[in-house]
Amino acid sequence: MRRPDQQTTTRPTTDPAPGTGTGADADATVDAPPGKGEDQDRHPAGDLTTEAVLAPYLRGQAADFLRSLRLHHEHSAPADAGGHDAAAATRALRRAARRISGSLHTFRAALDPHWADQLRAELAWLSGVLAREHAYANRLTRLVEALHQLSGPALPAARGARAGGETAASDAQGRAALGVGAARAGALLERRLTLARTRSHSAALQALGSSRFHAVADAVALLVSDVPLAPGTTGRTPEALLEPAERAEQRLLAAVAALPPADTEPYNEAQDAAWHQARLLLRLHRYAHEVVLGGAAPALASCGHALDLHRDAVEAAAAAAAAARTPRIAPATAYALGVLHADQRHEVEAARAVFRETWPYATALTAP
């Protein structure tokens, strides 16, 4: 398994991408790894066995899951005013769930496959349910702030428009029209996204009180003491972990090599899916890096953050477009939402540019 500062001279393989049950969700925060995040080999080659590396990693993540769950219960009590603490506990809960789920996917061959598939699917469900409220809140904040910037007195003419050839009068007219509709557009977005957030909050509370969730929590609790390994796994060579980790890396490199080039049309939303897939595969690769090398890959942090921002901008643009399709809205409101959509699509393109600049495997972006 190569480190991010090493380049590959071979074309990445085209292994099939994993499904959606990887624990990835709509988390708008940086998925910070545990520990110090030092990019160095902490596991000698002879110790790269499932019982020496993978099992302790899964047990540690399971313990983090249960610890975060306990904190969430403590700070979610009606008498507790620590809403921020409850949100932090929820994020930690989702981080642990994603790491367990991602590891179950990557190292499935080293584990009991039926158990791994079942728990992975349940953790993906839980992580997705818990992520939605946070995602809607962040989306609303992002869109309202963008509206304020776009409709303010210092509106840059070149942001989402061609500065050359536009007269000062047309700029002023556009700014005036945007100012009229921005307040109504913001109110419309707030109504829509606040309603979605409220429904997501109710769905999360219902999920956390369900028998399905308690079954998931029980399964994770058992994982703290017992990791169901595949028959014959004990004593296997390091390839039992290195080969799945290499496949995860190759899937990522293939996905990045297949991304659309930089000169493509920024409003081609059909290309978003390829970038989302790269984000999910990068997350799986980072988790495999943590398992096999014993720590995080700092060189991947910036490009991972860029893909998170890309996802946020894509979803914000879609929310603006959906709001613009509301029946019987005023033309000025629709205009403001259209400008907002264009602004967020330019943010999409900016995030892609940052990813290309920070991607450590340079040859993957130029592979034939």
Side-chain angles (χ1 to χ4, degrees):
M1 188 176 182
R2 287 175 292 102
R3 297 181 183 178
D5 57 349
Q6 296 175 296
Q7 296 183 355
T8 177
T9 57
T10 60
R11 180 170 181 161
T13 60
T14 55
D15 292 351
T20 57
T22 61
D25 52 46
D27 187 5
T29 61
V30 177
D31 187 27
K36 297 180 179 179
E38 299 171 354
D39 189 14
Q40 60 183 10
D41 295 355
R42 297 179 183 174
H43 302 305
D47 291 339
L48 280 176
T49 59
T50 53
E51 60 267 30
V53 174
L54 179 59
Y57 180 86
L58 288 173
R59 286 196 295 267
Q61 294 304 321
D64 287 346
F65 180 98
L66 297 176
R67 187 179 306 111
S68 301
L69 180 59
R70 184 179 68 252
L71 291 174
H72 183 275
H73 287 330
E74 291 175 355
H75 295 297
S76 298
D80 191 346
H84 177 75
D85 293 333
T90 301
R91 288 193 296 269
L93 183 67
R94 285 158 44 208
R95 280 197 295 269
R98 286 195 302 270
R99 280 178 164 78
I100 297 171
S101 182
S103 300
L104 295 182
H105 172 84
T106 300
F107 302 104
R108 179 179 183 272
L111 301 162
D112 180 312
H114 176 73
W115 167 83
D117 291 343
Q118 186 176 31
L119 181 57
R120 180 166 61 92
E122 293 302 285
L123 287 172
W125 161 76
L126 175 63
S127 188
V129 169
L130 295 180
R132 292 187 189 108
E133 178 185 1
H134 178 78
Y136 283 124
N138 278 6
R139 198 168 305 153
L140 176 59
T141 299
R142 180 187 185 94
L143 288 170
V144 170
E145 289 180 351
L147 270 177
H148 285 319
Q149 293 174 359
L150 289 167
S151 60
L155 174 66
R159 188 176 187 181
R162 294 183 299 275
E166 288 188 347
T167 64
S170 63
D171 285 342
Q173 291 173 354
R175 187 178 293 109
L178 182 58
V180 170
R184 292 180 180 178
L188 175 60
L189 288 168
E190 185 166 3
R191 287 196 302 271
R192 290 172 61 92
L193 294 176
T194 299
L195 177 60
R197 179 186 181 184
T198 300
R199 289 174 174 171
S200 298
H201 179 73
S202 299
L205 291 179
Q206 184 177 4
L208 290 173
S210 67
S211 58
R212 183 178 182 181
F213 169 74
H214 289 296
V216 175
D218 289 343
V220 174
L222 290 175
L223 182 59
V224 173
S225 58
D226 179 28
V227 178
L229 301 177
T233 299
T234 303
R236 288 178 62 182
T237 61
E239 282 69 23
L241 295 182
L242 289 176
E243 290 179 0
E246 288 285 352
R247 286 194 295 270
E249 182 180 63
Q250 290 300 315
R251 283 193 294 266
L252 169 64
L253 294 176
V256 173
L259 289 174
D263 57 353
T264 55
E265 169 59 49
Y267 294 97
N268 188 344
E269 298 178 7
Q271 298 174 350
D272 294 342
W275 289 87
H276 293 331
Q277 180 71 355
R279 175 179 172 271
L280 296 178
L281 292 173
L282 175 58
R283 177 171 282 177
L284 287 177
H285 171 57
R286 289 173 53 215
Y287 297 165
H289 191 289
E290 290 178 13
V291 172
V292 173
L293 297 183
L300 296 175
S302 294
C303 52
H305 182 60
L307 290 181
D308 286 344
L309 292 177
H310 176 274
R311 185 272 322 278
D312 293 346
V314 166
E315 294 180 348
R325 293 191 291 269
T326 302
R328 298 183 298 277
I329 61 174
T333 305
Y335 173 75
L337 291 169
V339 173
L340 182 60
H341 173 267
D343 173 76
Q344 291 303 300
R345 289 307 304 182
H346 280 283
E347 292 295 325
V348 169
E349 198 65 18
R352 293 177 182 180
V354 172
F355 174 81
R356 292 187 179 97
E357 293 170 359
T358 58
W359 177 244
Y361 299 113
T363 55
L365 290 174
T366 57

